[in-house]
Amino acid sequence: MTCRELVEAGTDYLEGALPPARSVRLHAHLLLCGGCRRYVAQLRATVALLRGLPGRPLPPSLRHRLMADFRAWKAKDEAARSRLLPSG
């Protein structure tokens, strides 16, 4: 696993949502990479801090716009990945 892959999997890792094989690779990477250990520690601290904040619901129009922006970003990211990966 590369540092970039770890960053991309960080949230899923903290939520326990990684497939077992990927989780093992992530743990192996953490054993070797101090930078990624610091990243995961910082991500954990950020999540803990944010969970402590009082929640307020988003106005429906803002939620809709944010979700649309996220879907557009994800589609663009997936399209870019497909261009980088060898077809097979």
Side-chain angles (χ1 to χ4, degrees), residues 64-79:
H64 177 72
R65 193 173 88 222
L66 287 172
M67 292 303 293
D69 288 348
F70 175 74
R71 287 185 193 104
W73 169 81
K74 187 158 178 68
K76 183 179 175 183
D77 184 61
E78 288 173 356

Side-chain angles (χ1 to χ4, degrees), residues 7-86:
V7 168
E8 291 172 358
T11 302
D12 288 341
Y13 168 69
L14 291 181
E15 292 175 353
L18 286 181
R22 193 160 188 209
S23 184
V24 167
R25 287 192 351 253
L26 188 143
H27 281 278
H29 181 86
L30 287 174
L31 290 173
L32 302 173
C33 185
C36 284
R37 283 193 302 274
R38 287 187 295 279
Y39 170 77
V40 169
Q42 185 178 32
L43 188 57
R44 274 193 179 116
T46 301
V47 168
L49 178 66
L50 291 174
R51 284 192 177 139
L53 294 175
R56 292 189 289 177
L58 293 175
S61 61
L62 178 58
R63 184 180 187 287
H64 177 72
R65 193 173 88 222
L66 287 172
M67 292 303 293
D69 288 348
F70 175 74
R71 287 185 193 104
W73 169 81
K74 187 158 178 68
K76 183 179 175 183
D77 184 61
E78 288 173 356
R81 284 176 191 256
S82 69
R83 287 191 302 272
L84 295 174
L85 296 175

